Amino acid sequence: MSMVKTVDVCKSFGSNEVLKSVSLTVEQREVFCIIGPSGAGKSTFLRSLNRLERIDSGSIYIEDKLLFDCANGENKVRMGAHERNLALLEVGMVFQSFNLFPHKTVIENIILSPVHVRKLSSEEAREKAMPLLERVGLLEKVDAYPSQLSGGQQQRVAIARALAMEPKIMLFDEPTSALDPELVGEVLGVMKDLARAGMTMLVVTHEMGFAREAADQVVFMYQGSILETAPPEEIFSNPQNPRTRQFLQSVL
């Protein structure tokens, strides 16, 4: 079963065509890393998968279920909002900024959505959250506030918060770009553990070492299009597209 599939997805902001017929299929347990220069459309593509950006045209499937089949900005799929929202709950997302509630403790940040969206009791949500905090190495910070944490720790809490919704697919939008260099490794370590555990992941990243080590496929985007998709050993050692080759020479 394909976990994520897009067919000819297009998106424009005014006259700026940000996504141009983007088609991609991610199977269960696969890790795709999306690389490319700034302005390539990487983050917009990721955000289109969980409706943070509404596409103009094209199709989006989640777990083989057609959720969006758009033309001229209108979705032709007739589906109840509740059914569509349930399908989108399978998609978790971690952003560049941590977006933690500063007035809530770590555990309160993590259980907020499971309680209000999944309708778990506070006790059940907390019981499920504790192993997640252990997984991201922050069990001792359960009652700390975000201001008492480093950037890397806050991002690890954000990952635990996304996992608390028990998604089947995780989207990461440059999750280390806002971190000091010495804190990047601890976040990438958690992501590598998720990949090894079989989580389906799409990761927009500038961390080429992570893409080389953790990805099943590396996607190169440029000016709104996918120019090349290949396993990391191929794309890093022998890229086929000249623009891919140029980009990798500039960042490696």
Side-chain angles (χ1 to χ4, degrees):
M1 176 175 65
S2 63
M3 299 299 281
V4 176
K5 180 181 177 183
T6 68
V7 181
D8 294 333
V9 165
C10 298
K11 170 70 178 178
S12 295
F13 294 108
S15 61
N16 183 20
E17 199 174 2
V18 182
L19 298 177
K20 305 171 185 175
S21 298
V22 177
S23 298
L24 192 68
T25 300
V26 182
E27 304 293 343
Q28 196 169 20
R29 301 174 69 90
E30 283 190 322
V31 177
F32 274 53
C33 283
I34 305 174
I35 64 173
S38 297
K42 307 182 299 296
S43 294
T44 301
F45 175 64
L46 216 61
R47 291 167 64 88
S48 74
L49 298 177
N50 60 1
R51 216 186 188 189
L52 291 176
E53 294 289 356
R54 294 174 182 259
I55 61 174
D56 298 327
S57 62
S59 305
I60 298 176
Y61 299 76
I62 301 294
E63 290 191 281
D64 282 341
K65 179 180 289 188
L66 179 60
L67 298 186
F68 304 101
D69 183 21
C70 297
N72 299 316
E74 182 179 344
N75 187 14
K76 296 181 288 182
V77 177
R78 295 296 167 235
M79 180 185 292
H82 179 68
E83 183 184 358
R84 182 177 286 111
N85 289 338
L86 279 180
L88 290 174
L89 284 179
E90 303 296 353
V91 184
M93 189 160 185
V94 176
F95 301 88
Q96 297 178 29
S97 53
F98 325 124
N99 298 324
L100 301 178
F101 289 106
H103 62 289
K104 292 186 178 293
T105 64
V106 164
I107 191 67
E108 288 170 341
N109 268 282
I110 292 173
I111 70 172
L112 193 64
S113 290
V115 168
H116 290 281
V117 180
R118 293 283 193 192
K119 304 304 180 184
L120 300 183
S121 68
S122 295
E123 295 74 19
E124 187 180 2
R126 187 181 178 96
E127 188 176 325
K128 288 175 175 284
M130 297 306 280
L132 295 176
L133 273 175
E134 185 173 14
R135 190 174 187 176
V136 300
L138 289 172
L139 201 54
E140 76 284 359
K141 300 293 186 181
V142 60
D143 294 318
Y145 287 90
S147 62
Q148 298 170 308
L149 304 177
S150 70
Q153 289 171 329
Q154 290 187 62
Q155 191 63 296
R156 284 187 280 156
V157 172
I159 293 173
R161 178 182 57 187
L163 292 174
M165 291 295 286
E166 300 181 336
K168 296 179 182 175
I169 303 151
M170 283 288 287
L171 311 178
F172 292 88
D173 185 10
E174 297 186 32
T176 60
S177 64
L179 300 178
D180 292 333
E182 66 268 23
L183 302 177
V184 168
E186 62 190 56
V187 174
L188 293 181
V190 171
M191 293 169 63
K192 288 174 187 175
D193 287 343
L194 283 176
R196 284 192 288 265
M199 176 64 77
T200 304
M201 295 164 55
L202 278 81
V203 184
V204 170
T205 185
H206 293 298
E207 301 292 336
M208 297 301 133
F210 174 82
R212 190 190 296 267
E213 182 179 343
D216 296 298
Q217 297 284 325
V218 177
V219 178
F220 177 69
M221 288 188 70
Y222 180 67
Q223 292 184 345
S225 299
I226 292 177
L227 297 191
E228 189 166 354
T229 303
E233 60 271 17
E234 292 182 22
I235 209 162
F236 286 111
S237 63
N238 188 28
Q240 298 302 300
N241 189 286
R243 189 63 187 85
T244 312
R245 197 175 305 123
Q246 180 185 357
F247 172 77
L248 289 174
Q249 286 172 350
S250 69
V251 298
L252 293 177

